[in-house]
Amino acid sequence: MRKPLRLGRREFDAYEPVIMAIVNRTPDSFYDQGATFRDEPALARVEQAVAEGAAIIDIGGVKAGPGEEVTADEEARRTVGFVAEVRRRFPDVVISVDTWRHDVGAAVCEAGADLLNDAWGGVDPKLAEVAARYGVGLVCTHAGGAEPRTRPHRIAYDDVMADILRVTLGLAERAVELGVPRESVLIDPGHDFGKNTRHSLEATRRLGEMTETGWPVLVSLSNKDFVGETLDKPVKERVIGTLATTAVSAWLGAQVYRVHEVAETRQVLDMVATIAGHREPAVARRGLA
């Protein structure tokens, strides 16, 4: 049975779709090439995302793909002060930080983060301990055992969804055993992480197997390579494919959506929720006048 999701000061109903807006504090992010690396553009992005319907802001200090080394100190320099400023300006927004390092996790929690988004599948097991110590949420992701910032090469699974469930449920249960609040733990199939395009498509097609576990499911689909390869589109032309995948994921029960395009995603999620009977139409005049 699905239960409400609690993150920071917010509680979300079991079937309430939630948008997590991406704010990259990196000079080399794959999508925006560093557009929000400096403070003022990043804060403007937060303000816009909140206005467009994002309840969570996901702040990252290291891009996911290969590139120049970013030390833990540099990652903290990019994120900690920014987390504190977002907390000051937007007291009710849920602040998430995309990190796999426990020392960075502790620093951002001290600054006001509500959620640690561990996109690399528990490669640093102490990160869950940090989440427990600070009483914040944790995203438990399947990354196929990949090392941070590496790309998969000829990876194979007997059953990709079985492996996703084994890993994410194991990480989630461990987190709760450590003391992370159960109502603040999410699981993520990890599209593109440790997967080829066919794996990510199958994970999407079978997403209902994750949502049926009762854990809230987060999907990070936005403009990813599996969308680009499916449609043979470059990064800047993947929005339509992303939104189609978002609609399918919403129909199959995913709850949190990590995205670049907030306003467009909000409309897709509201439409699917209304079709599913979880939301009333904003207006219903047709045929009633």
Side-chain angles (χ1 to χ4, degrees), residues 26 45 61 70 99 115 129 162-163 165 183-184 192 234 259 264 287:
T26 58
R45 160 69 175 163
V70 180
T99 186
L115 176 65
E129 297 173 17
D163 203 72
L165 290 170
E183 63 273 18
S184 303
D192 275 1
V259 305
E264 294 87 342

Side-chain angles (χ1 to χ4, degrees), residues 11 42 48 67 95 102 111 120 170 189 206 277:
E11 178 173 300
Q48 178 186 11
I95 298 176
H102 75 274
W120 290 102
R206 298 174 61 187

Side-chain angles (χ1 to χ4, degrees), residues 14-44:
Y15 292 94
E16 179 180 354
V18 181
I19 294 178
M20 169 189 276
I22 300 166
V23 180
N24 289 315
R25 302 309 316 283
T26 58
D28 53 356
S29 50
F30 93 99
Y31 186 65
D32 60 23
Q33 291 82 51
T36 53
F37 184 47
R38 293 184 298 108
D39 286 352
E40 286 310 312
L43 288 167

Side-chain angles (χ1 to χ4, degrees), residues 192 197 200-201 221-233 237-243 245:
D192 275 1
T197 289
S200 293
L201 291 169
L221 312 167
S222 195
N223 302 294
K224 283 198 166 178
D225 285 349
F226 83 96
V227 175
E229 288 194 353
T230 297
L231 301 176
D232 194 18
K233 295 293 183 182
E237 297 178 22
R238 299 175 183 177
V239 175
I240 295 174
T242 296
L243 295 176
T245 313

Side-chain angles (χ1 to χ4, degrees), residues 123-281:
V123 68
D124 181 349
K126 291 183 180 179
L127 188 64
E129 297 173 17
V130 169
R133 184 161 75 247
Y134 286 92
V136 303
L138 183 69
V139 180
C140 299
T141 307
H142 179 273
E147 288 295 314
R149 309 193 67 194
T150 61
R151 297 193 189 282
H153 179 68
R154 298 191 181 280
I155 192 165
Y157 300 95
D158 291 334
D159 182 328
V160 66
M161 182 50 74
D163 203 72
I164 288 169
L165 290 170
R166 176 185 64 82
V167 170
T168 58
L169 298 183
L171 290 171
E173 291 294 351
R174 175 179 180 268
V176 172
E177 289 171 4
L178 288 170
V180 181
R182 178 174 284 271
E183 63 273 18
S184 303
V185 175
L186 303 100
I187 58 175
D188 177 355
H191 288 82
D192 275 1
F193 281 61
K195 299 171 188 66
N196 61 31
T197 289
R198 293 184 187 280
H199 293 144
S200 293
L201 291 169
E202 182 172 352
T204 307
R205 186 163 57 249
R206 298 174 61 187
L207 198 67
E209 294 175 45
M210 293 190 77
T211 61
E212 287 169 3
T213 67
W215 294 98
V217 173
L218 180 151
V219 288
S220 184
L221 312 167
S222 195
N223 302 294
K224 283 198 166 178
D225 285 349
F226 83 96
V227 175
E229 288 194 353
T230 297
L231 301 176
D232 194 18
K233 295 293 183 182
V235 170
K236 294 296 185 180
E237 297 178 22
R238 299 175 183 177
V239 175
I240 295 174
T242 296
L243 295 176
T245 313
T246 297
V248 171
S249 300
W251 188 256
L252 293 175
Q255 183 165 16
V256 179
Y257 300 80
R258 183 178 181 272
V259 305
H260 297 97
E261 286 81 19
V262 175
E264 294 87 342
T265 303
R266 181 78 271 162
Q267 289 190 42
V268 169
L269 296 179
D270 286 350
M271 192 71 201
V272 174
T274 307
I275 293 169
H278 303 312
R279 174 186 178 274
E280 290 296 315

